[in-house]
Amino acid sequence: MEFPFDINQLFSERVSILDHSLVAGRKSAGRPDLQAHIATVIDELGRASAKAQQLTAPITSASKLQSQRHQLYLLKDGESNGGRGMVVGFLKVGYKKLFLLDRQGVHIEAEPLCVLDFYIAENLQRHGYGLELFDFMLQHKNVEPVLMAYDRPSPKFLSFLAKHYCLTQSVPQVNNFVVFEGFFLNRAAAQLRKVPLKKPDGEIKPYSSMEREAVRQEQRALPWPFAPPHSPQRSASSQCSHSLSVGSSPSRVPPRVVPASAPGGNRDQSPQSPLVERCRARRTSSLNRSQLGFH
């Protein structure tokens, strides 16, 4: 891919590594004019890659590279175009947190290095440039192809991986990423984490609405002076706040639930708690002592 400016002035190395700074070597550092040319090159490569993959929009651009923690490897041929050089292609990689399925269908959380975009100019394909660029990235990142994930690889890219790296058996996933057999076996256990299963719905938590209703029923069953029969009833909000008063916590034993009486039954027949019985006994004893003249 040729441009109207000098590619060798922008990219001094055969393979240049670009990140969010859009700086390729010392020449472009602090040179807004050169960085603008670099941005033009990245945008053109992104559009060409999207067209080759029949995508509706480019997934690689200078603005996206500036806002993401990705790296772009750019390969050039410095002797072409009358010595001004031309761009052969690029490879973009980055780390992604993924939720993957292993062979047993277990959900695994991992953050592997991913191939996000890969493009070699159509008229320069099948000349070994793609293999040169990919091998450079593997050596720079010190990673094996089987330990990587691949974002929506094209049929050409899958054939490339099968031919040069013997990656043929993929593990089916529910997202757009492709991983191959050996991804889960050859990776350290510390780099993989099983995703815990979601707790089943319908679990009754401490102090649920059912338990609060049972507490209210028990309070209504208490005799005078604890709950006078003709005293005004408290609002539902005050009753709820009483059942969750200071000192209550889910770690403590919840109040004893007293079954509600059947419709039309006698409320006085409902069983009373030991605390109520003791209070009633003390009150009766106090009344007897008063009647007998003891003070």
Side-chain angles (χ1 to χ4, degrees), residues 18-23 62 65-71:
L18 300 171
D19 56 16
H20 67 280
S21 64
L22 299 186
V23 174
L65 188 62
Q66 287 177 306
S67 62
Q68 299 168 336
R69 294 184 177 182
H70 298 158
Q71 287 185 315

Side-chain angles (χ1 to χ4, degrees), residues 11-54:
F11 310 106
S12 57
E13 303 294 334
R14 181 171 175 83
V15 178
S16 298
I17 306 173
L18 300 171
D19 56 16
H20 67 280
S21 64
L22 299 186
V23 174
R26 297 179 179 178
K27 291 183 179 180
S28 58
R31 293 282 303 274
D33 56 332
L34 297 184
Q35 290 185 354
H37 288 330
I38 292 175
T40 300
V41 172
I42 296 174
D43 290 340
E44 288 296 324
L45 288 172
R47 283 191 285 267
S49 176
K51 182 179 178 181
Q53 299 179 64
Q54 299 180 350

